[in-house]
């Protein structure tokens, strides 16, 4: 087992935590963090899996992940703006269907 | 300028995004329309280039793949690019009359990013470029949904954002797995080495689930009605007509280029079953809505189901029937884009007249706004799949394909779906015919708003007479099995 | 292409363009709209006459456009097409005149006349369709363009009628769609009249052929109001009188009957259809519908309802005629397509006149109307006598040919159907005529209008008189070269001796 595969397995683990977090939490910020975990996990898988079993380090996945991170940052920023506006408007940090009877 | 006109499809919208962020209110609109004209011309010249030389690739900045970005123009890409140019420019015209100044200020940058993302998706043949395009598209679309800035639309936008992000991650995971197996991300290269192993099946499974979630295929559809129904009218039109098509387009590309119909028949069946469920569920829900825009949003759900019927009808043995199904599906996609955009715009006008969202508030409008009702009706004809319309021709080809392969189930589903759609569209129509006391206090929409709606609806009907122009762009080899 | 080559297209376009322009006109431009409408109708009649002369000289002008791979939209003027197109174009003019008078001072006229013209355009498309696909397109378009007319009044009752109408016609349309799609998938893109390939196909796969026949006829039967698909027709009576005329005489039920003729003669071929045993059940069904419709008509107390069930019965004469093997019966069926149109449109115009002028809707209110409205009542009488089959009105010619055709085909039982239904016709029309002419007026008229006129408003009266005169003329001059009968003979000669 190469060291790269460890990254990949780590990525799978992160993804698992992310999915778990997304299902478990209804707080919008927590959900967003869960998404970021999912994303990071996927990037690790992308880099880790494709490096294993090849002699030379592969530069393409690294370039891709770099792009991916930029996209993820943009998505997170947009989500934060929306969540902030939502919280300011409704005084809630969760979506209506997750608020339960109160 | 070596890469024009193809590069213009990406450069102009990005330029538009920058310009609309930087310039003052008046110049923003002026520049936007100059760029829209440029894009339309660009599309036309690309069409002529395609007529001249057929399918071609172009490496941006002469950096070849894999590090550089390579764009590909083939018949399918061209059809979608023309479709988005047409719908987007009409929606932009509508938006700049319909939206308030503050809304318009936010609208333009999102609109341009949306268009850039769409074009990059139509033209990319690289799985990772497609990912970037998808993300940009989702973010722009979510921004547009939130444009009215009230609590309902924010909730819809957030729900949409989460669904879209989840879909993207699924897609990206699949891409990572494919890259690990094959060491390439270019679709043409991938199709040469591809074979359906366990790891590639898992990869494609992830990608398809992610993409179908973004397309709002049953049962992953619940984000769509509030987002499309609650957004501002020109935004609803853009979302229903174009945005959901992008992720579906990628599924279609994957399926045909990797020849998945040969690899697995049961996958096609599964897609067909999901599609059938979408047709029936979407149609039924549309019939039970009390808000006009929700009727149309659920109708989108049902129409997506028809697109899904392409997959079980792509057959490894019957090349002719496969080709019919492919042509029919493409026509359905195109007709839906035109008709649904026209329908949303017409519905927006009707709601503007009455000032309410309810179907009941439409009473008497067929007398007050006959032209607008006519626009709604024409779009409805195409959505119902009654002749003569693009929707009918698409449906006809799908039915022919199913009959030739003796796949009667899909024939039955298409027929039932048509009856359901006729029921929900005529239901709306009959509300406008009601005569009630005191129902005569309506606001009058600007003429531009009515004519833009009518133009798209008329196009969806004309597509029924000019289908050959579109179908001639599709190469026969696109789906013919080896 | 030359002007004459494109004639079928122009015929379609006269009413289609009229529809578009009318939709664009503002509601209050009544004069312009009426002028435009009438000019279009007259121009159409002129074009149809030109076309009929071409067809009489053995020419078949054709226009086609490929709209899907191997699938064309074809407009072709053959003899049968001109029979239906001629009828519709004459009745379009009369009905437009009538509608202008009928809808005077009522709202939504722009919408009404727009859809009205669109409806006539689709009827022209149906009559000129050169293949099943084209027929299907215009058949569905007809459904779409008549719906707004049926619900025109916007009352809950008419909206309900509209729903019923749609439920029937759209289901019928879907059945037809499946039939046509099967035909194209397994037999091919065939023009009307190319029956030899169908014969080969029937030989190799008789069951599929039977299914296609069943679906095609089933789809048409809904509009032709054959039992048990007739339910929409009496319900749709809530629509304004010109619309009833359109549904019953000019367009809708005729489109169904015409489609049945096309399927039997030009898709399958009458000989093949007989050999396969497809036709006999159809003529039994038509016979039953004739008697059933008459029987139900007898029980109605509402004038328009009685006329509606009478239509159910009379349209089946057409179907019965064309299912009789042999040229004479076919002539009877074809000529009745025209005759029934003329007579029924007269009756509906008159029923509308009674309703508009005196507020009369029920049969028992008709007492003494002969004195108050002599001209209208005379027209009504002519129409009713024609329906019963009394010479010299046109209905007699139809029944004569149907009867002799049945004898020639060796189907003697048809005679009893004809006698039975004629007796029933007499039973439901003669008492009405008796009330009109021989019973005195009872009290006040329910709702009197147009008191400045001796009979009723001229625009309402004149179309009724024209169509009444035409139905008498079609009977009196049946022997002349210009009569519907001669044209029906021409069609049959060409059909049986290719």
């Amino acid at each position: 087992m190469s060291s790269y595969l460890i990254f990949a397995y780590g990525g799978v683990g992160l993804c698992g935590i992310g999915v778990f977090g997304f299902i478990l939490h209804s707080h919008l910020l927590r959900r967003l963090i869960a998404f970021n975990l999912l994303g990071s996990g996927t990037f690790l898988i992308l880099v880790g899996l494709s490096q294993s079993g090849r002699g030379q380090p592969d530069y393409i996945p690294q370039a891709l992940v770099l792009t991916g991170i930029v996209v993820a940052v943009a998505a997170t920023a947009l989500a934060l703006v929306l969540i902030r506006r939502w919280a300011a408007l409704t005084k809630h940090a969760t979506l209506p269907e997750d608020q339960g009877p109160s | 300028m070596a890469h024009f006109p193809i590069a213009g499809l990406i450069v102009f919208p990005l330029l538009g995004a920058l310009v609309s962020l930087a310039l003052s209110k008046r110049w923003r609109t002026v520049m936007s329309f100059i760029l829209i004209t440029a894009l339309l011309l660009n599309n036309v010249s690309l069409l002529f280039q395609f007529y001249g030389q057929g399918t071609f690739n172009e490496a941006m900045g002469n950096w070849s793949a894999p590090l550089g970005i390579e764009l590909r123009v083939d018949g399918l890409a061209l059809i979608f690019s023309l479709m988005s140019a047409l719908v987007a420019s009409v929606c932009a015209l509508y938006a700049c009359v319909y939206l308030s100044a503050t809304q318009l200020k936010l609208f333009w940058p999102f609109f341009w990013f949306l268009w850039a993302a769409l074009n990059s998706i139509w033209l990319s043949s690289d799985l990772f470029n497609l990912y970037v395009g998808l993300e940009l598209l989702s973010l722009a679309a979510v921004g547009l949904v939130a444009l009215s800035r009230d609590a309902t639309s924010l909730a819809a936008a957030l729900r949409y954002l989460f669904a879209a992000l989840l879909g993207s991650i699924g897609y990206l995971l699949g891409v990572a797995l494919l890259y690990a197996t094959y060491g390439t991300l270019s679709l043409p290269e991938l199709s040469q080495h591809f074979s359906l192993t366990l790891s590639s099946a898992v990869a494609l499974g992830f990608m398809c689930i992610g993409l179908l979630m973004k397309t709002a295929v049953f049962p992953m559809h619940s984000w769509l009605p509030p987002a499309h129904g609650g957004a501002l009218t020109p935004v609803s039109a853009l979302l229903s007509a174009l945005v959901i098509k992008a992720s579906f387009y990628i599924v279609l590309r994957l399926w045909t280029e990797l020849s998945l119909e040969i690899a697995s028949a049961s996958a096609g069946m599964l897609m067909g079953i999901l599609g059938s469920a979408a047709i029936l569920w979407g149609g039924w829900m549309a019939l039970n809505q009390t808000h006009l825009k929700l009727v149309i949003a659920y109708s989108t759900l049902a129409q997506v189901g028809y697109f899904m019927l392409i997959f079980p009808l792509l057959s490894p043995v019957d090349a002719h029937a496969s080709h019919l199904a492919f042509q029919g599906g493409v026509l359905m996609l195109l007709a839906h884009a035109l008709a649904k955009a026209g329908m949303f715009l017409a519905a927006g006008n009707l709601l503007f007249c009455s000032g309410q969202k309810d179907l009941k508030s439409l009473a008497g409008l067929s007398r007050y706004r006959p032209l607008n009702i006519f626009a709604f009706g024409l779009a409805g004809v195409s959505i119902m799949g009654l002749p003569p319309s693009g929707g009918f021709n698409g449906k006809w080809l799908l039915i022919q394909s199913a009959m030739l392969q003796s796949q009667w189930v899909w024939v039955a589903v298409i027929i039932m779906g048509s009856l359901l759609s006729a029921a929900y569209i005529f239901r709306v129509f009959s509300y406008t015919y009601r005569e009630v006391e005191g129902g005569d206090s309506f606001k009058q929409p600007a003429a531009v708003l009515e004519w833009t709606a009518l133009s798209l609806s008329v196009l969806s009907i004309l597509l029924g007479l000019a289908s050959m122009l579109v179908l001639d762009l599709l190469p026969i080899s696109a789906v013919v099995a080896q | 292409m030359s002007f004459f080559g494109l004639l079928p297209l122009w015929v379609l376009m006269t009413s289609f363009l009229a529809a578009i322009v009318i939709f664009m006109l503002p509601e209050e431009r009544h004069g312009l709209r009426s002028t435009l409408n009438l000019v279009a109708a007259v121009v159409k009649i002129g074009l149809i006459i030109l076309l009929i002369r071409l067809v009489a000289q053995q020419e078949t002008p054709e226009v086609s456009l490929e709209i899907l791979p191997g699938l064309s939209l074809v407009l072709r003027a053959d003899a049968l097409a001109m029979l239906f197109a001629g009828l519709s174009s004459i009745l379009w003019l009369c009905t437009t005149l009538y509608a202008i008078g009928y809808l005077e001072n009522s709202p939504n006229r722009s919408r009404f006349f727009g859809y009205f013209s669109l409806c006539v355009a689709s009827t022209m498309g149906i009559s000129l369709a050169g293949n099943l696909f084209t027929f299907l397109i215009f058949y569905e378009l007809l459904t779409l363009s008549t719906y707004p007319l049926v619900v025109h009044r916007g009352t809950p009752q008419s909206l309900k009628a509209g729903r019923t109408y749609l439920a029937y016609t759209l289901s019928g349309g879907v059945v037809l769609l499946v039939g046509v799609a099967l035909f194209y998938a397994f037999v091919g893109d065939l023009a009307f009249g190319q029956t030899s390939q169908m014969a080969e196909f029937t030989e190799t796969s008789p069951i599929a052929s039977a299914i296609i026949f069943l679906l095609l006829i089933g789809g048409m039967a809904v509009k032709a109001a054959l039992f048990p698909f007739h339910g929409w027709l009496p319900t749709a009576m809530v629509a304004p009188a010109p619309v009833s005329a359109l549904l019953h005489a000019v367009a809708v039920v005729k489109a169904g009957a015409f489609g049945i003729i096309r399927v039997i003669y030009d898709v399958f071929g009458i000989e093949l259809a007989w050999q396969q045993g497809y036709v006999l059940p159809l003529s039994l069904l038509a016979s039953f519908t004739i008697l059933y419709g008459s029987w139900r008509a007898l029980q109605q107390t509402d004038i328009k309802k009685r006329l509606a069930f009478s239509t159910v019965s009379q349209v089946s004469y057409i179907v019965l005629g064309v299912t009789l093997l042999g040229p004479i019966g076919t002539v009877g069926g074809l000529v009745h397509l025209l005759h029934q149109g003329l007579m029924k449109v007269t009756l509906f115009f008159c029923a509308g006149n009674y309703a508009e002028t005196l507020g009369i809707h029920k049969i028992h209110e008709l007492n003494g109307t002969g004195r108050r409205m002599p001209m209208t009542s005379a027209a009504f009488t002519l129409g009713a006598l024609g329906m019963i089959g009394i010479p010299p009105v046109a209905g007699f010619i139809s029944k004569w040919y149907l009867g002799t055709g049945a004898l020639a085909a060796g189907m003697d039982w048809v005679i009893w159907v004809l006698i039975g239904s004629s007796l029933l016709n007499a039973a439901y029309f003669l008492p009405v005529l008796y009330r009109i002419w021989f019973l005195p007026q009872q009290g006040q008229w329910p709702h009197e209008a147009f008191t400045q006129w001796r009979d009723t408003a001229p625009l309402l009266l004149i179309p009724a008189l024209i169509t009444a005169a035409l139905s008498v003329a079609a009977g009196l001059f049946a022997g002349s070269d210009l009569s519907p009968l001669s044209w029906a003979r021409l069609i049959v000669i060409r059909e049986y001796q290719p």
Side-chain angles (χ1 to χ4, degrees):
Chain A
M1 188 165 120
S2 76
S3 57
Y4 292 119
L5 266 187
I6 298 178
F7 285 118
Y9 284 124
V12 173
L14 275 183
C15 280
I17 298 173
V19 172
F20 190 68
F22 179 67
I23 295 171
L24 209 63
H25 294 297
S26 60
H27 192 287
L28 289 169
L29 278 179
R30 282 171 197 265
R31 273 196 175 178
L32 186 61
I33 291 169
F35 264 119
N36 275 304
L37 276 177
L38 247 175
S40 307
T42 313
F43 295 146
L44 268 181
I45 295 174
L46 182 55
V47 176
L49 262 189
S50 51
Q51 303 289 14
S52 70
R54 295 193 190 117
Q56 298 266 322
D58 191 346
Y59 55 87
I60 293 175
Q62 306 187 2
L64 299 186
V65 166
L66 210 58
T67 317
I69 290 173
V70 174
V71 174
V73 168
T76 310
L78 179 68
L80 282 175
V81 171
L82 289 180
I83 292 171
R84 225 181 67 160
R85 173 94 191 155
W86 168 258
L89 270 180
T90 63
K91 314 284 176 226
H92 279 293
T94 51
L95 286 173
E97 64 267 26
D98 297 324
Q99 283 161 11
S102 57
Chain B
M1 300 296 271
H3 299 310
F4 278 80
I6 180 169
L9 289 186
I10 315 277
V11 173
F12 284 139
L14 288 178
L15 200 63
L18 288 181
V19 162
S20 53
L21 284 171
L23 291 184
S24 70
K25 183 178 147 196
R26 186 151 142 244
W27 287 107
R28 196 183 306 144
T29 308
V30 172
M31 268 316 281
S32 288
F33 278 102
I34 291 174
L35 282 170
I36 285 175
T37 320
L39 265 162
L40 286 172
L41 291 175
N42 209 3
N43 265 297
V44 172
S45 62
L46 203 59
L47 184 66
F48 280 105
Q49 197 180 351
F50 180 79
Y51 277 137
Q53 64 182 107
T55 303
F56 60 95
N57 291 305
E58 190 112 5
M60 292 296 99
N62 295 330
W63 283 79
S64 60
L67 271 191
I69 294 172
E70 213 171 66
L71 298 181
R72 170 181 59 178
V73 176
D74 62 1
L76 194 62
L78 200 55
I79 289 173
F80 276 78
S81 166
L82 285 167
M83 168 184 101
S84 35
L86 216 57
V87 174
S89 42
V90 174
C91 286
L93 192 59
Y94 186 95
C96 78
V97 178
Y98 184 87
L99 298 182
S100 70
T102 34
Q103 286 169 340
L104 202 58
K105 185 181 166 196
L106 291 168
F107 174 81
W108 280 122
F110 282 127
F111 168 82
W112 282 119
F113 276 125
L114 189 87
W115 199 343
L118 284 171
N119 280 345
S120 76
I121 290 173
W122 310 142
L123 298 173
S124 296
S125 56
D126 178 288
L127 291 179
F128 195 79
N129 289 347
L130 286 174
Y131 166 74
V132 176
L134 266 179
E135 281 288 50
L136 183 58
L137 181 71
S138 301
L139 298 185
V142 168
L144 284 174
V145 170
L147 212 57
S148 56
R149 305 208 289 180
D150 56 15
T152 340
S153 68
L154 271 177
L158 276 169
R159 228 173 271 133
Y160 181 21
L161 180 66
F162 283 137
L165 286 179
L166 209 58
S168 304
I169 296 283
Y171 175 79
L172 190 63
L173 255 175
V175 172
L177 291 178
L178 273 187
Y179 187 79
T181 319
Y182 296 101
T184 179
L185 290 171
S186 128
L187 259 179
E189 237 176 276
L190 202 59
S191 68
Q192 285 166 13
H193 308 295
F194 184 78
S195 66
L196 198 68
T197 58
L198 180 66
S199 71
S200 58
V202 171
L204 284 174
F206 272 122
M207 290 167 84
C208 281
I209 290 175
L211 292 169
L212 295 185
M213 180 172 250
K214 281 169 172 276
T215 318
V217 171
F218 185 89
M220 298 172 280
H221 62 272
S222 54
W223 61 267
L224 184 139
H228 287 201
L232 293 165
T233 298
V235 174
S236 307
L238 283 171
L239 293 186
S240 260
L242 300 178
V243 173
I244 54 160
K245 305 279 169 25
S247 39
F248 183 82
Y249 174 86
I250 300 175
V251 181
L252 189 63
R253 280 280 192 201
L254 283 174
W255 208 277
T256 51
E257 299 209 11
L258 302 182
S259 301
L260 291 185
E261 72 273 15
I262 302 176
S264 165
S266 52
M269 279 305 261
L270 182 66
M271 298 289 257
I273 291 168
L274 289 182
S276 309
I279 291 174
L280 300 178
W281 177 251
W284 177 250
M285 290 303 283
L287 194 54
N288 286 296
Q289 299 306 309
T290 50
H291 286 195
L292 178 57
K293 283 180 84 174
L294 279 180
V295 173
I296 308 175
Y298 273 105
S299 146
T300 299
L301 218 64
Q303 293 278 314
V304 167
Y306 286 111
F307 312 150
M308 298 287 283
L309 292 186
I310 301 175
F311 301 114
L313 293 175
L314 292 177
S315 129
V317 283
D318 192 338
H320 175 61
S322 297
H323 191 49
L324 285 180
F326 186 70
Q327 288 182 322
V330 171
L331 268 188
M332 286 290 280
L333 283 159
L334 189 52
H336 176 254
L338 296 171
K340 193 46 71 69
M343 189 177 252
F344 259 123
L345 297 189
N349 292 342
L350 294 179
L351 299 181
F352 175 83
C353 291
S354 67
Q356 290 165 36
K357 292 179 177 174
D358 214 353
L359 278 173
K360 285 207 183 82
S361 68
L362 297 179
L365 269 174
S366 95
R367 170 161 59 191
Y368 181 65
R369 300 273 85 188
L371 195 69
N372 212 332
I373 297 289
F374 195 60
F376 187 90
L378 284 184
V381 168
S382 186
I383 297 286
M384 286 185 271
L386 285 175
S389 68
F392 171 76
N393 286 2
K395 220 175 257 186
W396 172 270
L397 290 175
L398 286 178
I399 289 180
Q400 288 284 306
S401 170
M403 282 179 166
L404 287 174
Q405 301 180 53
S406 300
Q407 300 210 32
W408 303 106
V409 188
W410 312 129
V411 179
V413 168
I414 292 174
I415 297 291
M416 279 193 283
S418 304
L419 285 176
L420 268 175
S421 51
Y424 65 71
I425 286 184
F426 275 107
R427 179 164 164 263
V428 174
F429 212 57
S430 72
Y431 272 103
T432 70
Y433 264 77
R434 287 197 179 172
E435 300 279 345
V436 288
E437 293 297 313
D440 274 352
S441 54
F442 296 120
K443 283 196 283 182
Q444 178 155 1
V448 183
L449 300 183
E450 295 199 318
W451 284 100
T452 43
L454 187 67
S455 65
L456 284 175
S457 306
V458 167
L459 279 177
S460 76
I461 297 292
L462 286 182
L463 181 63
L465 298 176
S467 301
M468 287 308 284
L469 291 180
V470 175
L471 296 182
D472 282 342
L473 292 176
L474 290 176
I476 297 186
S477 59
V479 283
V480 169
Q482 306 302 312
Chain C
M1 220 190 266
S2 71
F3 170 76
F4 286 105
L6 287 174
L7 259 184
L9 190 63
W10 296 130
V11 167
L12 188 71
M13 280 299 154
T14 40
S15 33
F16 186 72
L17 293 179
I20 301 288
V21 177
I22 289 169
F23 276 126
M24 302 286 162
L25 280 182
E27 175 70 28
E28 60 280 358
R29 303 295 301 270
H30 299 305
L32 183 59
R33 179 167 52 239
S34 304
T35 318
L36 196 85
N37 221 325
L38 291 174
V39 167
V42 171
V43 169
K44 183 193 286 294
I45 291 183
L47 292 175
I48 294 267
I49 290 172
L50 279 179
L51 207 49
I52 285 181
R53 290 183 47 168
L54 279 184
V55 174
Q57 295 158 9
Q58 300 277 11
E59 282 185 56
T60 44
E62 183 176 308
V63 182
S64 77
L65 167 77
E66 191 180 19
I67 62 171
L68 283 177
L71 195 63
S72 297
L73 198 77
V74 181
L75 294 176
R76 195 159 54 100
D78 59 9
L80 182 57
M82 295 326 293
L83 182 79
F84 189 30
L87 169 79
S88 312
S89 58
I90 292 171
L91 294 189
W92 186 36
L93 180 61
C94 297
T95 317
T96 305
L97 264 180
Y98 186 80
I100 291 170
Y102 188 90
L103 291 175
E104 200 158 26
N105 305 324
S106 73
N108 302 333
R109 272 183 274 174
S110 162
R111 184 177 88 187
F112 181 88
F113 283 101
Y115 283 114
F116 201 84
S117 301
L118 202 58
C119 182
V120 175
S122 358
T123 313
M124 286 298 142
I126 287 175
S127 58
L128 293 171
N131 58 21
L132 266 178
F133 183 72
T134 316
F135 186 94
L136 174 74
I137 286 182
F138 288 107
Y139 194 78
E140 302 280 13
L141 197 60
L142 181 62
T143 306
L144 291 178
S145 50
T146 38
Y147 171 79
L149 297 175
V150 173
V151 299
H152 181 72
R153 287 199 169 131
T155 58
Q157 204 189 2
S158 63
L159 285 171
K160 189 163 169 285
R163 265 204 300 283
T164 315
Y165 178 66
L166 272 187
Y168 273 93
T169 49
L170 282 180
S171 315
V174 158
V175 171
L176 185 67
L177 169 70
V178 177
V180 176
L182 279 174
F183 180 83
Y184 275 83
F186 296 111
V187 188
D189 182 11
L190 300 180
F192 281 145
Q194 295 181 329
T195 49
S196 56
Q197 263 162 289
M198 193 66 213
E200 282 166 30
F201 175 74
T202 312
E203 214 156 273
T204 51
S205 34
I207 297 176
S209 161
I211 290 175
I212 291 177
F213 184 84
L214 196 68
L215 289 172
L216 292 181
I217 295 290
M220 312 281 188
V222 175
K223 280 217 173 87
L226 277 179
F227 181 86
F229 310 113
H230 62 281
W232 61 271
L233 193 54
T235 323
M237 292 318 312
V238 293
V243 177
S244 304
L246 198 69
L247 293 178
H248 288 252
V250 189
V252 180
V253 294
K254 285 299 159 57
F258 183 75
I260 292 178
I261 300 175
R262 279 288 192 204
V263 170
I264 293 178
Y265 283 83
D266 289 338
V267 176
F268 283 79
I270 178 78
E271 253 118 60
L272 175 70
W274 255 103
Q275 280 163 18
Q276 296 297 315
Y278 297 160
V279 175
L280 190 62
L282 191 58
S283 43
L284 287 172
L285 185 65
S287 304
F288 178 76
T289 311
I290 290 175
L291 294 174
Y292 172 82
S294 303
W295 176 250
R296 289 294 303 274
L298 192 56
Q299 297 161 344
Q300 306 304 317
T301 55
D302 188 285
I303 303 173
K304 285 180 86 180
K305 277 249 165 85
R306 182 168 284 192
L307 291 180
F309 275 107
S310 159
T311 303
V312 171
S313 152
Q314 292 283 335
V315 170
S316 282
Y317 278 124
I318 305 170
V319 179
L320 178 64
V322 294
T323 54
L324 300 175
L325 181 66
I328 307 173
T330 313
V331 170
L334 291 179
V335 81
H336 199 56
L337 186 86
L338 254 160
H339 290 166
Q340 189 268 352
L342 289 172
M343 298 183 300
K344 193 36 82 47
V345 94
T346 312
L347 290 174
F348 271 109
F349 286 163
C350 295
N353 287 357
Y354 288 131
E356 288 301 295
T357 318
L358 304 176
I360 290 175
H361 296 98
K362 298 285 178 194
I363 288 167
H364 66 83
E365 296 164 342
L366 278 169
N367 293 0
T369 43
R371 291 232 179 95
R372 171 67 180 78
M373 301 172 65
M375 312 279 262
T376 299
S377 301
F380 189 88
T381 308
L382 284 177
L385 291 180
M387 284 292 172
I388 303 170
I390 291 174
V393 191
F396 169 71
I397 309 283
S398 320
K399 287 196 180 170
W400 175 263
Y401 271 86
L402 288 175
T404 43
L407 289 178
M411 296 162 71
D412 297 357
W413 53 270
V414 170
I415 298 291
W416 294 107
V417 174
L418 290 177
I419 292 174
S421 93
S422 292
L423 286 176
L424 285 169
N425 287 346
Y428 66 75
F429 272 130
L430 289 181
V432 177
L433 298 184
Y434 181 73
R435 281 179 189 278
I436 289 176
W437 294 110
F438 299 110
L439 289 184
Q441 179 183 349
Q442 291 171 330
Q444 283 288 307
W445 303 116
H447 180 84
E448 195 165 356
F450 301 128
T451 40
Q452 74 271 38
W453 304 101
R454 167 74 185 85
D455 189 304
T456 182
L459 273 179
L460 296 182
L461 184 59
I462 292 169
L465 293 179
I466 294 176
T467 52
L470 282 177
S471 29
V472 177
L476 271 182
F477 304 111
S480 90
D481 283 347
L482 296 171
S483 71
L485 181 63
S486 307
W487 193 257
R489 279 204 183 120
L490 178 83
I491 297 171
V492 170
I493 289 168
R494 289 188 183 173
E495 196 69 50
Y496 277 84
Q497 295 159 349

